Every structure is written in C-alpha cells, then in structure tokens.
Amino acid sequence: MNILIKSATILDSKSDFHNTNQDILVEGGLITKIGTNLKNPKKYSEITFENLHISQGWFDSSVSFGEPGLEERETIENGIKTAALSGFTTVALNPNTNPVIDTSTDVSFVKSKAIDKAVEILPIGALTKGSEGLDLAELFDMKNAGATAFYDYKKPVSNPNLLKIALQYTSNFDGLVCSYPQENKIAGLGVMNENVTSTSIGLKGNPALAEELQIVRDLFLLEYAGGKLHIPTISTAKSVALIREAKSKKLDVSCSVSVHNLYFTDEYLTDFDTNFKVKPPLRTQDDINALVEGVKDGTIDMVTTDHNPLDIELKKVEFDYAEYGTIGLESAFGVLQQKFTLKKTIDILTRGRNRFGAKQTSINIGEKINVTLFNPAPKYTFSKSHIQSKSHNAIFQDIVLKGKVYGVIANNISVLK
C-alpha cells in the first residue's frame, strides 16, 4: 500500500506529532514520512477529507457476528466491513454462534475468515463446552489456535468451583477468563431493571443485586485462585465501587461497560420498544453517573459497543419474549462524543487492546499504518441509512449523535466511505 494522507490532525498521545496537522506518507504499509506539505513525486493515491482527524485504530472488546450458523443475523464478511466503516481495526469476537466456538478448529475457522482484511478479529473461545456451564472447553488448545479470551457470552458461570478451576488452569498459559456478572437465581425472569419503572409498566425486574452478588463472588474466587479475570458489561454504581476496591488490592481484574448503559436509563422502556431490551438491563441515572466516572478514572478499563445483530423475528415480538441485544458499532463514536470530550473519546476507543493480547501501534515514522479517520464536528440524527449491519436492531435509532467516521487504513488495506 502506497498512499499520501493529506492535512490530518493527529490525535495519538504516543505519537511525536500528537495534536498537530500533518501529511502522512505510507509506503509498503509503513509510515515513511510525516510532515507539512509533503510532495508526491511518485503520484501515490492521495486521501483527503473535510476536517480530517486520525488516531490509532479503534478496538472493541465485545462484538457478535453470528457466523457460523447464524448468518441471517450477520456474516463475518459484512461484520468486518461494518466494523471498518465504523472506525474499528480490531474486534474481539464472541463465541455465540451455532455451533458455539469451543474448539481450536472453530477458532482457526474464524481467524481464517479475517485473513487479508483491514479489521483484525480476535476470537473469544467459549469457557465451557457448548457454553452450557458444565465442563471446561479446550482452553489450552484454543489459546494455541489464537483465542484471545474465554467467555460464555451473557451466560454466568453458576458453578463457583468451575470458575475457580478455570482461573487456576488458565494462569499456566496467561489466559483471560471472562465471567458474566449475573446471579440467575436473583435475576429470575426479570427482563428490565427492578425499579419504580418496572413496577409502573408491569414488567418483571432484574435487580442490581443480581449483578453485584456475582461480582463479589467472582472477586473472592480471583483473590483465592489467582489468574486473570475480565468482568464484561457491568451496569451498576455498586459494581464500579467493588471493582475499584479490588484494583486497589492489586487483583488482576478488568471490566467493561456497554456504551448504551452510559446513555439510556430504564425510563426509556415505557414504550415497550424491544430495541431497548438489552443485557445487562438499562439502569438508573445514578448508575450512569457512577459508570461515567468509572470510565474517566480508569476503574472501567474499556467501553464496548456489545454489538449483537438480531434479525427482526427475534425483536418484533412481545417484550417478554424478545431477545436481548442491540447493534452498536455504527453509532459508538457519535454516542461517546455526546458523553465525553474528544480527547477522552479517542482514549476510550483505543484502550483495552493489551488486555486482549493485541498489539498497540502509534502514528510514528517506521510504524505500520493502523489508523481510524474521522471528523469529530458534525451532528446528525442516527437513522437506518447509517446502519451497515444486516440486522437493524439499533438502540440509538433517532438519537442525535456527534462525529462522522470516514473509515480505517490497516493491514495494508483501506476501507473508506
């Protein structure tokens, strides 16, 4: 790849050119020159966009595509395209497929689908066989095949001894264990946050206690067994406090929050719109405030889109019977800019890679080009025309967002609008 990027404001704290407007010459996929008014004697293709900004390529720690087996929801090919046009150059892919990704062969299949693509896929292997919560899957073999972590997507590990053994076993090969924070016996049949709103509209509630009890248990297990634990998509103020305390004790724990849990309260469910049926459920404004503060102070390590395409048959039913989940890749940048400064938004979108074993790059001479291109300024209303996914279950539809993504340049490939 040989290109010249013209007049780009570089936002990369690890770059020697941070916060400056530069031209960037890329030859053979490597950044060879950075400077103002660079010449182009070899007539390379020039890339220019209005108010162009670039940063390190963005990372998402929780994405679902469906393939293999659920291609009607999303394919890996279109999922990669969606991620690229949304600004993401690396995504950790959940194992909630059919069959579940629980063997080294499954991991190899997923990785093979991303060869020579702009977006790097980091497959997450199932923690237990078939994600059924009974026996550990082939963790070591999956790690050797390229699995970045182990997680039964949105399914809690109900057997504490199984989680203890998983933490002990994976510590031998630096494996990352993910444990979804929900005590099912407390959550029961709850489909939304247990609160005054659930009572007023007559839906069964899932209390914050269900999440917090599980986190307490998992942190005790981590302290006992050692290993590396990731707690995905926390949603309550108490959860933030528990993880903050655990980190102060130097436990090897990380966590994430879904971008929609930073934006919507449970009051948005009064119209019974199933696009707002997500897991964990939308909570209260006090929870949102604590989550935002947790992101700012680093207690929450990463914000995820928790992108989960679902076909219309799974959503256009009564609220109680609808599936949990929303797409989020396409709207993530615009949402974060409504909650955080541009500087913090880019920090959020570029951190978390190391926890999932991906390399961090910088925008410096001699580095491989791995960047996201965007314009942080324009405001717009998110609509179906902005959706790249095969499924359209978008929680942020009709919400005003800020910032336009032009695409990515990574792995010797450019995917640009």
Side-chain angles (χ1 to χ4, degrees):
M1 168 183 282
N2 301 309
I3 55 173
L4 178 60
I5 303 171
K6 297 293 291 182
S7 189
T9 299
I10 297 172
L11 298 180
D12 178 7
S13 60
K14 292 184 170 58
S15 172
D16 299 332
F17 303 90
H18 179 49
N19 267 340
T20 64
N21 189 273
Q22 306 285 342
D23 296 347
I24 303 171
L25 182 64
V26 180
E27 296 178 292
L30 293 176
I31 299 173
T32 56
K33 287 183 182 179
I34 300 177
T36 56
N37 298 316
L38 292 183
K39 304 299 182 184
N40 189 10
K42 296 183 180 179
K43 305 298 182 184
Y44 293 151
S45 175
E46 294 190 3
I47 293 176
T48 60
F49 286 105
E50 180 183 358
N51 192 30
L52 176 60
H53 289 59
I54 71 168
S55 70
Q56 296 177 26
W58 300 344
F59 168 70
D60 192 343
S61 62
S62 179
V63 167
S64 303
F65 286 156
E67 186 179 0
L70 301 170
E71 289 84 356
E72 72 278 6
R73 302 182 185 180
E74 186 60 284
T75 62
I76 292 177
E77 180 179 6
N78 193 64
I80 286 174
K81 176 186 174 185
T82 300
L85 291 175
S86 303
F88 295 88
T89 60
T90 308
V91 296
L93 186 64
N94 292 310
N96 54 328
T97 52
N98 185 22
V100 167
I101 299 169
D102 63 359
T103 70
S104 58
T105 303
D106 299 330
V107 171
S108 297
F109 167 78
V110 170
K111 287 187 72 69
S112 72
K113 299 288 283 189
I115 293 174
D116 296 328
K117 303 292 185 182
V119 178
E120 178 185 16
I121 285 184
L122 305 178
I124 299 174
L127 183 64
T128 63
K129 292 179 181 178
S131 287
E132 293 176 350
L134 299 176
D135 301 295
L136 291 181
E138 302 173 2
L139 306 186
F140 183 66
D141 288 347
M142 285 194 287
K143 174 76 172 180
N144 287 338
T148 191
F150 307 104
Y151 178 30
D152 292 341
Y153 181 69
K154 300 294 184 185
K155 295 182 178 180
V157 184
S158 59
N159 181 348
N161 192 53
L162 190 66
L163 182 60
K164 182 201 75 174
I165 293 170
L167 288 166
Q168 291 172 327
Y169 177 55
T170 54
S171 65
N172 294 309
F173 52 87
D174 197 35
L176 179 63
V177 173
C178 304
S179 177
Y180 181 68
Q182 178 172 289
E183 168 50 68
N184 279 341
K185 289 184 176 63
I186 297 292
L189 299 176
V191 294
M192 66 171 292
N193 182 47
E194 183 183 84
N195 193 24
V196 63
T197 305
S198 63
T199 302
S200 66
I201 65 177
L203 290 176
K204 295 183 178 67
N206 177 349
L209 177 66
E211 175 174 306
E212 295 151 6
L213 271 181
Q214 194 81 346
I215 289 176
V216 169
R217 186 206 73 169
D218 289 356
L219 291 174
F220 270 112
L221 288 170
L222 177 65
E223 188 171 15
Y224 176 86
K228 291 168 59 176
L229 178 66
H230 180 70
I231 302 176
T233 58
I234 66 171
S235 67
T236 79
K238 182 67 172 177
S239 297
V240 178
L242 289 167
I243 292 169
R244 185 178 287 123
E245 180 184 5
K247 288 188 171 186
S248 72
K249 295 163 67 174
K250 307 301 182 185
L251 295 185
D252 195 349
V253 61
S254 59
C255 68
S256 67
V257 61
S258 298
V259 66
H260 43 264
N261 283 101
L262 296 173
Y263 194 94
F264 296 111
T265 67
D266 55 5
E267 294 174 358
Y268 277 83
L269 275 74
T270 53
D271 290 333
F272 300 95
D273 184 345
T274 58
N275 282 331
F276 290 90
K277 187 178 181 182
V278 290
K279 196 174 181 180
L282 305 174
R283 303 286 188 184
T284 68
Q285 189 60 51
D286 287 343
D287 292 311
I288 290 177
N289 295 341
L291 292 164
V292 168
E293 187 58 36
V295 172
K296 288 180 178 178
D297 69 18
T299 300
I300 298 175
D301 301 85
M302 55 205 85
V303 177
T304 174
T305 67
D306 205 19
H307 181 81
N308 188 14
L310 298 169
D311 54 83
I312 192 170
E313 288 83 3
L314 298 174
K315 279 292 190 178
K316 202 166 185 179
V317 293
E318 290 180 37
F319 197 93
D320 277 342
Y321 301 109
E323 287 289 331
Y324 295 95
T326 176
I327 59 173
L329 286 170
E330 299 97 316
S331 52
F333 177 58
V335 177
L336 289 172
Q337 277 217 102
Q338 294 287 50
K339 301 293 292 187
F340 302 95
T341 65
L342 175 60
K343 178 182 177 182
K344 177 54 70 173
T345 295
I346 299 306
D347 171 57
I348 290 167
L349 289 166
T350 54
R351 70 194 193 191
R353 261 195 178 84
N354 293 340
R355 187 64 170 174
F356 281 78
K359 291 182 179 179
Q360 196 91 24
T361 61
S362 63
I363 304 173
N364 280 309
I365 295 170
E367 292 273 5
K368 288 183 178 179
I369 186 78
N370 186 313
V371 296
T372 300
L373 295 79
F374 56 94
N375 178 352
K379 288 194 173 184
Y380 68 101
T381 300
F382 188 78
S383 66
K384 285 187 176 181
S385 65
H386 299 106
I387 295 175
Q388 302 289 333
S389 305
K390 285 183 66 177
S391 297
H392 290 180
N393 53 310
I395 195 171
F396 286 103
Q397 188 164 314
D398 299 326
I399 299 296
V400 175
L401 306 182
K402 182 183 179 184
K404 178 179 182 180
V405 178
Y406 293 127
V408 302
I409 303 172
N411 196 27
N412 269 332
I413 299 169
S414 64
V415 181
L416 301 171
K417 292 179 180 176

